[in-house]
Amino acid sequence: MKIDVIGDIHGCLEELHELFYALGYQKQNNIFIHPDGRLPVFLGDITDRGPHSIDVIRLVSEMVLQQQKAKYVPGNHCNKLYRYFLGNNVMQKHGLETTVAEYLALDTKDQTHIKRQFMTLYEKAPLYLEITEVQAIVAHAGIKESFIGRTDKKVKSFVLYGDTTGEFYPDGRPVRRDWAKHYHGDRWIVYGHTPVKKPRKVHKTINIDTGCVFGNALTAFRLPEEETVSVPSKQPLVEEKFSYFD
Ligand SMILES: [Mn+2]
């Protein structure tokens, strides 16, 4: 099996279409299909902040659930939207407000449909994916080697939010450890979550969140080829959202 892992989309539907075409996919029955049968894998954070979160939910659900031509794992933004749909009192900020505004502008019938589609997508998704054919693990914010195979609370928090210390910078961003530096496994860990200007490879880990919603690029990582493919963003650049590790 050959796979194309797709980084954080955050409602950037047009860039997603362009990325699929750049990867050689064709539009067929409202979804994107690769002539060689490649498997697209969405690594979470498909909504929030960008212009077309609802249509991204429609496309990803159609590909993953209805037509079963793609895989999906959730990100922290997906977790928060799910809790909003459950009726929990979640804070509508950090981009959730844009998805909620799009959702509330739909008529009641469409609202019911989208809510059900997204909740089913989330509930059926594994916390992370182990894809043995290409020796890879896809996890939204990454995963430590010792956590692979586990799905307890500690692992869930790591996979969704990353290796946070519990402390915060003065501007509110969480302090993160650079877990990738300590990863020495043989399998690829493909992740996103923390925007970087260029895909960041450290040992056998790769961060492919190239911050499309912040004006940089949308990126895919192809296995077994070990190649990245990026398309430029159509959003304005927000420089301060990009982090730089050594
Ligand atoms: Mn994230």
Side-chain angles (χ1 to χ4, degrees):
M1 193 206 307
K2 295 183 178 183
I3 70 168
D4 297 314
V5 187
I6 295 168
D8 305 45
I9 302 163
H10 284 299
C12 296
L13 182 72
E14 290 177 38
E15 292 90 337
L16 178 59
H17 287 179
E18 287 180 8
L19 182 60
F20 273 130
Y21 290 126
L23 292 166
Y25 286 69
Q26 294 159 359
K27 205 163 183 192
Q28 239 175 62
N29 304 323
N30 290 321
I31 65 163
F32 290 86
I33 299 282
H34 196 281
D36 303 335
R38 301 184 68 98
L39 179 74
V41 181
F42 300 101
L43 63 58
D45 283 3
I46 61 174
T47 64
D48 293 4
R49 291 195 179 105
H52 304 293
S53 289
I54 297 296
D55 281 341
V56 174
I57 294 174
R58 285 195 175 103
L59 177 60
V60 171
S61 307
E62 182 67 26
M63 291 181 73
V64 175
L65 297 176
Q66 279 76 44
Q67 302 199 36
Q68 301 185 4
K69 298 289 191 217
K71 300 277 185 191
Y72 157 86
V73 294
N76 52 307
H77 285 262
C78 307
N79 171 270
K80 207 167 162 195
L81 180 61
Y82 180 73
R83 288 185 286 118
Y84 168 80
F85 282 143
L86 278 179
N88 293 8
N89 185 21
V90 293
M91 295 242 261
Q92 286 177 36
K93 51 182 196 177
H94 304 301
L96 178 63
E97 70 281 6
T98 70
T99 305
V100 170
E102 278 190 57
Y103 170 72
L104 294 176
L106 301 172
D107 63 34
T108 318
K109 195 168 142 262
D110 278 351
Q111 280 185 5
T112 308
H113 181 67
I114 284 293
K115 181 176 171 175
R116 190 178 302 138
Q117 254 192 333
F118 182 79
M119 290 182 81
T120 309
L121 179 71
Y122 185 90
E123 285 164 4
K124 285 187 182 285
L127 184 56
Y128 55 88
L129 271 168
E130 293 184 62
I131 308 174
T132 51
E133 291 94 327
V134 288
Q135 290 287 296
I137 288 118
V138 180
H140 177 67
I143 191 165
K144 277 192 210 183
E145 199 172 8
S146 60
F147 286 175
I148 300 169
R150 285 169 47 184
T151 54
D152 50 275
K153 227 176 152 183
K154 201 172 168 182
V155 176
K156 185 176 176 184
S157 156
F158 191 104
V159 165
L160 292 179
Y161 294 93
D163 199 359
T164 54
T165 64
E167 294 160 306
F168 293 87
Y169 294 112
D171 67 3
R173 285 176 308 131
V175 176
R176 292 185 177 110
R177 291 187 199 93
D178 193 4
W179 63 272
K181 274 191 173 166
H182 307 287
Y183 176 75
H184 296 289
D186 301 328
R187 290 180 284 179
W188 276 105
I189 310 282
V190 189
Y191 70 105
H193 183 60
T194 308
V196 285
K197 280 277 175 77
K198 290 246 149 58
R200 176 181 184 253
K201 271 188 196 176
V202 178
H203 306 299
K204 275 204 125 173
T205 75
I206 183 165
N207 177 359
I208 56 166
D209 179 10
T210 46
C212 189
V213 79
F214 298 123
N216 190 51
L218 184 64
T219 295
F221 185 54
R222 324 192 83 172
L223 285 172
E225 295 87 348
E226 306 188 350
E227 287 167 5
T228 58
V229 174
S230 299
V231 295
S233 166
K234 299 174 189 297
Q235 314 305 315
L237 184 68
V238 189
E239 189 66 47
E240 64 270 22
K241 294 291 182 180
F242 293 87
S243 31
Y244 300 89
F245 286 115
D246 299 327

